Amino acid sequence: MAAALTMVLALTAGGGWLYLTLRGNLLDNAGARTELAARKIITFPAASPAHPVPLPEPAGGVDAVLVLDAHPVASTAPAPAARAARLADFRPAAGSDSAVRVFSADQVLTSHDSVVAVVRTPSAAGGHYVYALTMLNDVADAGRALAVTLLAGGPLVVLLTGLIAWSVTGAALRPVEAIRAELAAVTAHRLGRRVPAPGGQDEITRLARTVNDTLERLERSVTRQRQFVADASHELRNPIAAARAELELALLRRPDPETTASLRQTLHSTLRLERIAADLLLLARLDAQRPPPAHLVDLSLLAAEEIARRRSARVPLRLDGDDPVPVRGDRGQLERLLANLLDNAERFADSEVQVTTGTDPADGTAVLRVADDGAGIRPEAAEQVFERFTRLEADRNRGSGGTGLGLAIAREIAQAHGGTLRVVPSPRGALLELRLPPAGS
């Protein structure tokens, strides 16, 4: 559009300049020819006012010549009196013997605008004025031809310019679009992707190489970070397990009440630290691992088994969904996902937790929902709860609060299986919805 608009402005300005230049040149030529024809009439026979002397037709495209004194003296056209009356006031300026001016068709009784030249010539009786007239039909025809050419060819030129600009710009930006699409596909689990680098040494090629270098550095940095988390979590497991064993042995010796309370508190903190280390190690493995194995797993059966293992839960856990809901994935990871959802719901529920499994009839997606009747999750925190080490205020105020990694792990597992995990608006409490591709996809 910018190229087409620029061409419209260029054609308008260029066409206007060409028209004015062409008209000016034609008028100058017509004026010079007309003045020359007037100057050629130097002598002429004497004539009476009633009978002007007829003159031969002028050459060079001049249409009429008229000689005036107080009355028409000579003329190339019949009945010159009417035209003489229109031209009587047109005289050369003081100090000049000639003048040229353009008259309208009505002023000089012609079918077109005309250029008129007047020359003062000496005679035996005094001065006479010779008028020569050239109709500007050639100028009008040239202007009309130019206008038709611009009006007919201009839109074609504008359209062609727009198409060329579109194709050239598209060809130039096609590598940029390929780079953008490849960058959009880069995720935390797909850092090994690289953008295509077109051949040559132009700016786009240098941009692609710079982006690939940046992605290479980013991948190395993330890999080092993940390896550090995995190594640190792994190395922490042994000393934490040893400390836990020592604390449990110390409690078995039945110390005094104050020491027992202190040991129990320390053991509780040690167990919490052990869970954090285990969660960090699992997250590091989820970040680094390839797509999980595609074993057939029934979500309904998985939910029923997990609920059965929680018979001593703080609030009742209810399952709604008897029909099989088959998906493909790693059974251990899906069990961990469901366990984290139930842990979260059980922690905040007031009276019960409802688990629903089924299949979306629209696209066959496997759906699992876990709902509690607690305080719920604020809409502005619907994504925040899935960030690592994020704990809402209600969670922080509970002595049994989680590590802040449960829902983050659950979402990582869902995404690794090609699914989604999100907070769904609910009239009461929190409702988390897991969607996984059907087993046949």
Side-chain angles (χ1 to χ4, degrees):
M1 290 182 67
L5 180 59
T6 302
M7 182 55 66
V8 169
L9 296 177
L11 287 176
T12 302
W17 174 83
L18 183 60
Y19 175 80
L20 294 176
T21 302
L22 177 63
R23 180 178 173 82
N25 289 337
L26 291 176
L27 288 176
D28 290 342
N29 291 335
R33 288 187 288 109
T34 305
E35 183 178 351
L36 180 61
R39 290 186 181 277
K40 287 182 178 180
I41 308 298
I42 303 299
T43 60
F44 39 83
S48 65
H51 301 285
V53 175
L55 295 175
E57 290 294 331
V62 178
D63 294 295
V65 175
L66 176 65
V67 182
L68 293 181
D69 190 354
H71 52 79
V73 176
S75 175
T76 60
R83 184 171 294 163
R86 303 290 181 96
L87 296 174
D89 295 333
F90 178 40
R91 296 284 191 267
S96 176
D97 67 341
S98 65
V100 178
R101 195 205 309 178
V102 176
F103 286 81
S104 66
D106 294 338
Q107 288 177 310
V108 290
L109 304 177
T110 56
S111 58
H112 292 84
D113 291 350
S114 302
V115 61
V116 178
V118 59
V119 178
R120 183 188 296 113
T121 61
S123 68
H128 291 82
Y129 295 94
V130 180
Y131 292 87
L133 178 148
T134 301
M135 287 189 293
L136 299 176
N137 50 338
D138 292 341
V139 177
D141 292 342
R144 189 161 43 250
L146 178 61
V148 170
T149 301
L150 290 176
L151 291 177
L156 295 179
V157 173
V158 172
L159 178 61
L160 183 61
T161 301
L163 291 176
I164 292 175
W166 179 272
S167 59
V168 171
T169 305
L173 295 181
R174 196 170 296 118
V176 178
E177 174 60 22
I179 293 173
R180 186 209 61 79
E182 193 65 25
L183 277 176
V186 174
T187 63
H189 299 285
R190 304 171 70 183
L191 287 176
R193 299 179 70 102
R194 296 294 181 267
V195 302
Q201 297 296 328
D202 58 7
E203 292 80 358
I204 296 178
T205 301
R206 293 197 295 270
L207 171 64
R209 291 172 181 169
T210 302
V211 169
N212 283 335
D213 291 342
T214 303
L215 290 175
E216 183 72 26
R217 293 193 298 270
L218 178 62
E219 184 180 17
R220 289 198 299 266
S221 175
V222 172
T223 300
R224 287 196 298 267
Q225 178 186 357
R226 289 173 177 172
Q227 189 62 44
F228 170 76
V229 173
D231 292 344
S233 302
H234 181 74
E235 293 299 326
L236 285 173
R237 295 177 68 183
N238 290 335
I240 292 175
R244 174 183 175 181
E246 291 293 335
L247 291 171
E248 290 175 344
L249 286 174
L251 286 172
L252 290 177
R253 298 190 187 100
R254 300 182 181 277
D256 59 86
E258 291 184 2
T259 303
T260 299
S262 178
L263 289 175
R264 289 188 183 280
Q265 181 62 36
T266 306
L267 179 60
H268 176 76
S269 299
T270 304
L271 292 175
R272 181 178 178 81
L273 182 59
E274 187 177 37
R275 288 197 301 271
I276 293 175
D279 287 346
L280 285 174
L281 183 59
L282 176 59
L283 276 173
R285 290 172 177 171
L286 288 173
D287 287 339
Q289 75 172 6
R290 295 178 180 178
H295 300 308
L296 194 63
V297 180
D298 183 0
L299 279 185
S300 295
L301 180 60
L302 202 69
E305 292 175 350
E306 184 64 28
I307 290 175
R309 286 193 289 267
R310 297 171 179 256
R311 293 177 180 175
S312 58
R314 186 179 65 85
V315 295
L317 307 179
R318 308 186 187 280
L319 175 62
D320 181 10
D322 297 328
D323 296 332
V325 182
V327 296
R328 290 194 174 276
D330 183 277
R331 181 180 179 87
Q333 291 187 12
L334 293 176
E335 285 179 349
R336 180 60 185 271
L337 186 157
L338 180 59
N340 286 4
L341 294 182
L342 290 178
D343 287 343
N344 183 78
E346 182 184 346
R347 185 178 300 116
F348 297 107
D350 288 338
S351 59
E352 68 172 0
V353 174
Q354 182 75 33
V355 181
T356 306
T357 59
T359 302
D360 190 334
D363 54 8
T365 302
V367 182
L368 182 144
R369 295 185 178 92
V370 177
D372 64 68
D373 58 354
I377 299 174
R378 301 187 308 275
E380 60 271 17
E383 284 299 315
Q384 182 185 354
V385 295
F386 295 106
E387 297 176 2
R388 299 179 183 187
F389 294 106
T390 295
R391 298 173 61 199
L392 304 182
E393 291 301 321
D395 194 1
R396 295 179 187 273
N397 295 334
R398 291 176 179 265
S400 59
T403 62
L405 293 173
L407 292 183
I409 292 174
R411 173 169 274 190
E412 291 287 342
I413 295 174
Q415 292 176 346
H417 285 74
T420 60
L421 178 63
R422 64 191 183 100
V423 176
V424 178
S426 175
R428 183 185 178 188
L431 174 58
L432 281 83
E433 179 184 80
L434 168 69
R435 285 181 173 268
L436 295 175
S441 64

